[in-house]
Amino acid sequence: MGKSANVTPRNSVSADSEAQRQKMQMETVERTEDIQVDGDQSKFSAILNILRKLVGVADIIDIITESDDEIERMVAVLAWWFSKLLKHTGRVHKPFNSVLGERFFCHWDVPCSATSGSSDVSRREDTASSSITNVSVGTDETVDKLRVEYITEQVSHHPPVSAFTYRCSERGIEAVGIDHIKAKFTGLSATVAPGSESKGIFVTLKQRGNETYKCTHPTGSIVGWLRGTLKVQMIENSYIVCAKSGLAAVVEFKEERWFSKDKGNVSGKVFRYNESIFGDKIASWRLKDIPKTCEVVATFGGSWDQQVTVQRMKEPERLLIDMAALRIADKSVKPLEEQGDLESRRVWEPVASKMRQGKFAEASRTKRAIEENQRTLAAGRKERGEAFVPALFKPDYSASGRPELLDNAPINM
């Protein structure tokens, strides 16, 4: 571990725009240490867990639900999706490996003002910089704060898989998913992509008749190995689909070249589609594959790590997201003495405290002791013929990729 190790959990990102890593960003606890590039094994370890789930809080929570225009809701989800990439615009960090059963709880209390009347906001001059105040939500009630909660649990160690839920009851928004990645390293090429258990993040708008958006994760390419300064580039395609509205978006990333002068590295289209005909095909589409029978209602493009603009048909181009405008939203977590033994900060505090003191050899020994204890527990379960049972989530999450909280889940918020 390098002495410049950062052991302070990163705050989630929210923004007058949005979103993260991104996140506006609600992010899982990120227990990080600077990556040391000193051999293939270290390189492989470095890329594991680099792409983490990121969801946001603040303005995007309001923007997603406020419009009666289904296209604007899709555009708002798209802004949130980009905002969760915020984390990848900075330095790459290597987090601790979560232990089986590890869990993390936090919430964000976001300033908000609700006004009466049904929302008729169908256009925004600046989607990503809109204020969270003065949002119409169909109620006379004034809401001082929006409370956004985050719950996650490591439900498998081999492969490493965690289930997570974000929810904002005031806005009737829930986002759930499975965090599982796969990494590939050959020579100077490294990529991190969603694993087989990860089907995307499912954002449900309960106030819109349970309108659900399936948002898949991008693939990250880790560059900068020779220089020792790692950077994440987004490559390949991602997509967002909403079967209820019949709208979808394909996001296509352009691989950046060292000596190129590309003005943008991402482009995409929002279009109408027939779920019964194309529902299972969109996952493989590039922009050129979108059939002419699918009406394109908006296009977008720019630089995912800077600014992205959007343009609806026959309308002026406008800002979708400005990553530089995002602000940090502090998350609230119970103090250590009130946390359970398997809560993240409680698990890793012995290691983090040694690192903060500069006692890195001791930190390494403590970390190994935690990992060895996990091996002992796993061996015991195997000997007794016992399977690990999650404490927070129902175990049947694999097929859908949409984990459900148990009714009696011991949530320590």
Side-chain angles (χ1 to χ4, degrees), residues 100 158 373-384 386:
L100 187 60
H158 295 293
N373 181 57
Q374 288 300 304
R375 296 187 189 97
T376 301
L377 293 174
R381 284 192 298 270
K382 183 177 181 179
E383 184 176 339
R384 296 188 299 271
E386 297 176 357

Side-chain angles (χ1 to χ4, degrees), residues 70-78 213 240-242 247-249 270:
E70 59 190 16
I71 298 176
E72 285 303 305
R73 292 198 298 275
M74 170 59 84
V75 169
V77 171
L78 188 62
Y213 298 79
I240 300 172
V241 293
C242 178
L247 288 170
V270 178

Side-chain angles (χ1 to χ4, degrees), residues 21-230:
R21 80 56 234 121
Q22 312 133 142
K23 191 332 323 333
M24 171 198 102
Q25 168 188 341
M26 259 186 208
E27 183 180 347
T28 63
V29 61
E30 207 170 319
R31 309 163 299 276
T32 65
E33 53 190 85
D34 286 348
I35 293 174
Q36 303 301 307
V37 182
D38 56 0
D40 286 358
Q41 183 57 45
S42 294
K43 290 176 182 178
F44 186 75
S45 297
I47 58 179
L48 290 177
N49 289 324
I50 284 175
L51 295 185
R52 308 292 295 175
K53 48 188 174 291
L54 311 157
V55 192
V57 296
D59 306 44
I60 284 297
I61 292 297
D62 287 281
I63 298 173
I64 290 176
T65 58
E66 73 173 9
S67 180
D68 291 330
D69 185 330
E70 59 190 16
I71 298 176
E72 285 303 305
R73 292 198 298 275
M74 170 59 84
V75 169
V77 171
L78 188 62
W80 162 80
W81 187 90
F82 275 109
S83 74
K84 74 184 187 67
L85 300 179
L86 178 63
K87 173 180 174 180
H88 301 305
T89 62
R91 299 174 64 186
V92 175
H93 292 83
K94 174 180 177 287
F96 297 143
N97 294 323
S98 298
V99 302
L100 187 60
E102 182 178 334
R103 59 203 69 164
F104 182 71
F105 310 101
C106 73
H107 70 271
W108 293 261
D109 293 317
V110 183
C112 175
S113 176
T115 57
S116 61
S118 175
S119 171
D120 60 359
V121 179
S122 62
R123 300 290 184 276
R124 283 189 174 273
E125 182 176 340
D126 186 341
T127 299
S129 298
S130 60
S131 172
I132 194 167
T133 59
N134 301 320
V135 175
S136 298
V137 293
T139 176
D140 298 319
E141 200 174 40
T142 297
V143 181
D144 294 329
K145 298 282 188 178
L146 278 182
R147 184 183 176 98
V148 182
E149 298 179 336
Y150 170 65
I151 302 161
T152 187
E153 179 183 19
Q154 189 80 1
V155 294
S156 171
H157 192 63
H158 295 293
V161 172
S162 60
F164 62 90
T165 293
Y166 297 90
R167 59 191 185 186
C168 176
S169 59
E170 291 91 342
R171 290 294 179 264
I173 296 180
E174 181 181 72
V176 303
I178 294 295
D179 185 24
H180 176 216
I181 64 173
K182 61 181 180 182
K184 181 179 180 181
F185 175 74
T186 54
L188 297 177
S189 174
T191 59
V192 182
S196 59
E197 299 287 344
S198 177
K199 308 295 192 298
I201 300 177
F202 297 83
V203 181
T204 298
L205 311 184
K206 297 180 180 180
Q207 295 178 356
R208 297 290 175 179
N210 287 325
E211 191 173 78
T212 298
Y213 298 79
K214 178 182 179 180
C215 311
T216 64
H217 299 288
T219 294
S221 174
I222 317 303
V223 299
W225 299 100
L226 289 176
R227 292 171 293 177
T229 303
L230 303 185

Side-chain angles (χ1 to χ4, degrees), residues 4-20:
S4 59
N6 173 14
V7 295
T8 303
R10 268 180 87 150
N11 288 333
S12 303
V13 174
S14 124
D16 272 346
S17 53
E18 99 194 71
Q20 205 141 36

